[in-house]
Amino acid sequence: MASTSRMEANKVVCYAHPDAPLIEDYRAGDMICSECGLVVGDRVIDVGSEWRTFSNEKSGVDPSRVGGPENPLLSGGDLSTIIGPGRGDASFDSFGVSKYQNRRNISSTDRALINAFREISTMADRINLPKTIVDRANNLFKQVHDGKNLKGRANDAIASACLYIACRQEGVPRTFKEICAVSKISKKEIGRCFKLILKALETSVELITTADFMSRFCSNLGLPNSVQRAATHIARKAGELDIVSGRSPISVAAAAIYMASQASDDKRSQKEIGDIAGVADVTIRQSYKLMYPFAAKLFPDDFKFATPIEFLPQM
C-alpha cells in the first residue's frame, strides 16, 4: 500500500481527494485516484475469473481450477481432490489400469449428509421454497444426525420432516400432504419423525392457523382479494365463536374459501378447493355444515354479495 493513501473505516482513499472515486487497473493491479492520478493502492487481488470464454467455444471442459464453496456442515470441510482421466501410455500400467485413481476419502457421515442435503434441495425446488428454508432444514438434519437420536429411521424420512419443520419455523408452513407429494416417504412416517425431532432437539413450532394457508390457497384458485379477505374473516370469526372446534385449520380454511366463493361471482366447487388444499370433499362439507347456520355472523360487514346468504348451498 502506498504511503500517500490513508485508511478511513477500512476504506482506501486518496489523501488529497478523499471523496474522489478510485479507478481500478486490473492489468497492473493498482487503484488510482480519478482526480489526480495518484496510485493509492497496489497489488490488488483480482477476484474475477481467470479465463476468457468465447462465443464459438463449444467444449464441455470446465476451465475453473477451483472447487465449489465450502460447506460448514460437513466435517471434512467439503475439500477433496479429483484426478482427471489419464491420457497417454504413461497414465496406465501394463494391465491397462489407471495408475492414478481418486481415493474414496469421504467419510460415511459426510456421504449421508451430502445425500440428505441433496434430497432436501430437490424437494424444496419442487415446491418453490427459498434457500433460507433449505439452509434451516439442513441445519436441523445436521443436529439430528450428530445427536444420533433417530437411529433406525430412514434419512429420507428425517430430511422430509426437517423440511416440514423449517417451513413452519420460517412462517411459511406447508401441509404434510404437500411435503409427502414431493417426497418418497409416507405421510405417517413423516409425522412420526416430526414428533421425534421436536422431542430430540427440545424445540417447538408455532401452531398453524387458517391465515397461514389462506393467501396461497386463494392465489392458486385464482380468487380476487375481496374473496380472500372474506374467507380470512369467516375462518377467524368461526374460530372466535368456537364453531369449528376440533377441526384442522386446513379444512376450516377450505370451507371458508368455499363459503366466500359461493357468495361471490367467482364460485369454486368443493373438488377444486379440495385439490388445492389437499383435503377430501367430505371434509370440506363437514366443516361447512358447522359454519352454515352462523353464516350471517361470519361474513364481514362490507362484503358485496353476488349470492345472498339464504341462497348459499345447504349440505
Side-chain angles (χ1 to χ4, degrees):
M1 189 70 63
S3 60
T4 52
S5 65
R6 62 192 179 93
M7 303 292 290
E8 287 186 358
N10 297 328
K11 182 181 178 181
V12 180
V13 295
C14 176
Y15 80 99
H17 309 92
D19 297 326
L22 299 181
I23 300 172
E24 191 167 351
D25 184 353
Y26 292 100
R27 185 180 295 274
D30 297 336
M31 297 187 73
I32 305 167
C33 176
S34 59
E35 291 288 339
C36 60
L38 181 68
V39 177
V40 298
D42 56 4
R43 293 186 294 276
V44 177
I45 298 175
D46 183 8
V47 296
S49 60
E50 59 178 350
W51 67 89
R52 291 185 299 168
T53 303
F54 300 96
S55 59
N56 59 352
E57 283 188 358
K58 295 183 179 179
S59 62
V61 180
D62 184 7
S64 176
R65 295 189 292 179
V66 297
E70 182 179 351
N71 191 340
L73 298 178
L74 301 178
S75 58
D78 201 22
L79 299 177
S80 60
T81 300
I82 298 177
I83 300 173
R87 297 181 179 86
D89 296 337
S91 300
F92 303 93
D93 59 17
S94 58
F95 299 100
V97 179
S98 178
K99 291 181 180 179
Y100 309 103
Q101 299 180 7
N102 293 313
R103 293 181 58 193
R104 299 293 181 183
N105 55 357
I106 184 171
S107 65
S108 59
T109 299
D110 281 357
R111 189 177 297 111
L113 289 175
I114 290 172
N115 291 336
F117 295 162
R118 188 182 299 117
E119 180 68 18
I120 290 173
S121 180
T122 301
M123 290 189 292
D125 286 342
R126 289 175 182 168
I127 50 178
N128 301 317
L129 294 177
K131 192 175 184 303
T132 52
I133 294 178
V134 175
D135 292 340
R136 183 179 283 269
N138 288 345
N139 276 292
L140 287 171
F141 186 91
K142 170 74 171 174
Q143 294 176 41
V144 173
H145 191 272
D146 290 348
K148 299 179 179 178
N149 299 305
L150 272 71
K151 277 190 174 182
R153 299 286 178 181
N155 283 344
D156 286 348
I158 300 173
S160 301
C162 288
L163 185 61
Y164 176 79
I165 294 172
C167 289
R168 289 187 54 173
Q169 290 181 341
E170 289 291 329
V172 285
R174 295 296 185 269
T175 64
F176 276 119
K177 286 189 177 180
E178 287 178 294
I179 300 296
C180 185
V182 297
S183 174
K184 297 172 286 189
I185 309 301
S186 67
K187 177 184 172 183
K188 185 181 292 186
E189 184 62 22
I190 296 175
R192 287 173 182 161
C193 290
F194 163 69
K195 292 179 181 178
L196 291 172
I197 291 172
L198 292 183
K199 184 178 180 182
L201 300 183
E202 296 181 354
T203 186
S204 61
V205 291
E206 295 290 333
L207 292 175
I208 58 175
T209 63
T210 56
D212 294 327
F213 305 99
M214 197 67 74
S215 60
R216 185 156 52 90
F217 289 169
C218 290
S219 176
N220 292 337
L221 287 165
L223 293 172
N225 288 334
S226 58
V227 177
Q228 179 184 327
R229 288 195 298 269
T232 303
H233 188 275
I234 290 169
R236 186 176 67 250
K237 288 292 289 184
E240 292 174 358
L241 297 175
D242 201 22
I243 298 170
V244 287
S245 58
R247 293 285 168 183
S248 72
I250 301 170
S251 62
V252 174
I257 293 172
Y258 178 71
M259 179 177 285
S261 69
Q262 290 298 316
S264 69
D265 290 323
D266 300 278
K267 293 177 171 52
R268 297 293 184 271
S269 66
Q270 295 175 22
K271 188 177 188 312
E272 288 178 298
I273 298 172
D275 290 342
I276 294 296
V279 296
D281 298 358
V282 64
T283 306
I284 298 177
R285 282 198 295 272
Q286 288 172 350
S287 296
Y288 178 83
K289 196 180 295 184
L290 295 173
M291 296 160 61
Y292 179 77
F294 304 91
K297 298 180 181 179
L298 300 180
F299 277 92
D301 297 334
D302 58 347
F303 183 75
K304 295 180 181 179
F305 289 91
T307 302
I309 292 178
E310 56 269 18
F311 292 111
L312 289 177
Q314 298 185 18
M315 300 298 168

